[in-house]
Amino acid sequence: MDQLQIKDLEIFAYHGLFPSEKELGQKFVISAILSYDMTKAATDLDLTASVHYGELCQQWTTWFQETTEDLIETVAYKLVERTFEAYPLVQEIKLELKKPWAPVHLPLDTCSVTIHRRKQRAFIALGSNMGDKQANLKQAIEKMRNRGIHILKESSVLATEPWGGVEQDSFANQVVEVETWLPAPVLLETLLAIESEMGRVRKVNWGPRLIDLDLLFVEDQVLYTDDLILPHPYIAERLFVLESLQEIASHFIHPTLKQPIRNLYNALKQ
């Protein structure tokens, strides 16, 4: 992908763990590579399809100086976050933040951290069978948006019978396709935080829930940890999930089953 590179932007600011760093300040140096498609800007002279690097450098300087943080990791992360928010066309950012005057008191050229993030597409299943079910789904989607998760597509809302053997009310279910620069484990934490914020209480496995947010796919990633399994292990067993996926992503290939969603849907339906 095409890349814009900015190298060694110097900014004086007041970040650091020690009180003297926050009082006296010091020099920081930013270098970054931003990846995005430059075709439209190059061929049509379309400035909206480009990143004005002069304005970006000024924005970084403003953002960098408006707060004080203990860790340069925090500063670098926030710069990446705000750059993605300000420039939706950017697909990937690799940002290095150097601290050449770090208080190490040893022969040292510089200390630095590098944050590297790229946007990914993911699919999230939503379900609710308590209160105003459809309103709960809409609220959850709005909370995703408020956290910088871009909603690309929404399936229709389906009325479905409970899955898992627990007697309870029917569900309202749907699937959304999103774009996010959050890594899969952080995306899952964000979804769990939304559930908690909306008042979900986990008492019975597969029992009634105000809101349920399941991370189904993050592109073609395959993960197996104590906290997260990707793809979600029950996709091929849940007709309502496949029906919603079929509506918005029928040609998406399941990363481990190596079948398009439409084939999995038709097989389970039969």
Side-chain angles (χ1 to χ4, degrees), residues 35-269:
S35 300
Y36 60 95
D37 187 349
M38 298 181 181
T39 304
K40 193 170 181 61
T43 59
D44 298 344
L45 301 180
D46 185 352
L47 296 180
T48 64
S50 181
V51 174
H52 190 315
Y53 43 83
E55 291 181 356
L56 176 59
C57 289
Q58 185 57 60
Q59 286 172 313
W60 280 347
T61 302
T62 300
W63 298 338
F64 206 91
Q65 294 175 334
E66 67 186 8
T67 62
T68 60
E69 303 290 349
D70 290 343
L71 301 178
I72 57 175
E73 292 93 333
T74 304
V75 186
Y77 188 91
K78 287 185 175 181
L79 286 178
V80 170
E81 180 179 44
R82 295 186 73 166
T83 303
F84 272 129
E85 290 174 355
Y87 298 92
L89 78 164
V90 174
Q91 296 300 306
E92 185 172 359
I93 301 174
K94 184 177 183 180
L95 184 144
E96 181 184 18
L97 176 57
K98 298 177 184 177
K99 190 176 181 179
W101 298 351
V104 176
H105 307 300
L106 290 168
L108 175 72
D109 180 51
T110 188
C111 290
S112 72
V113 297
T114 300
I115 302 288
H116 187 184
R117 296 289 185 271
R118 71 176 181 88
K119 290 181 179 177
Q120 305 175 93
R121 293 197 172 195
F123 293 91
I124 299 166
L126 301 85
S128 175
N129 74 336
M130 297 173 66
D132 189 333
K133 304 169 191 177
Q134 295 211 24
N136 293 337
L137 301 184
K138 290 180 181 178
Q139 183 181 2
I141 290 173
E142 188 59 30
K143 287 183 178 293
M144 289 185 218
R145 286 196 181 98
N146 292 340
R147 285 167 167 79
I149 300 171
H150 182 47
I151 309 298
L152 299 175
K153 294 180 183 178
E154 298 181 35
S155 76
S156 303
V157 177
L158 303 177
T160 65
E161 293 304 310
W163 192 93
V166 178
E167 186 174 341
Q168 56 190 302
D169 195 8
S170 62
F171 276 83
N173 287 105
Q174 71 177 139
V175 169
V176 295
E177 181 182 6
V178 306
E179 182 181 66
T180 178
W181 60 274
L182 298 175
V186 180
L187 178 57
L188 176 64
E189 290 176 6
T190 302
L191 298 179
L192 293 176
I194 291 173
E195 288 183 346
S196 179
E197 189 176 297
M198 289 183 61
R200 176 172 180 179
V201 178
R202 297 174 182 270
K203 291 183 178 180
V204 180
N205 193 29
W206 291 323
R209 64 214 79 167
L210 182 71
I211 190 67
D212 186 26
L213 302 174
D214 286 335
L215 186 55
L216 304 177
F217 300 111
V218 179
E219 295 195 340
D220 60 353
Q221 289 186 35
V222 178
L223 295 176
Y224 186 86
T225 70
D226 291 341
D227 300 315
L228 175 60
I229 299 175
L230 283 177
H232 192 288
Y234 298 116
I235 291 173
E237 301 175 31
R238 296 177 173 176
L239 187 62
F240 62 89
V241 171
L242 289 173
E243 184 172 350
S244 294
L245 282 169
Q246 155 80 6
E247 180 184 345
I248 62 174
S250 62
H251 298 288
F252 182 81
I253 306 295
H254 193 293
T256 56
L257 300 179
K258 307 300 182 184
Q259 292 285 325
I261 292 300
R262 67 180 187 279
N263 288 6
L264 297 175
Y265 171 68
N266 290 331
L268 188 59
K269 190 176 181 180

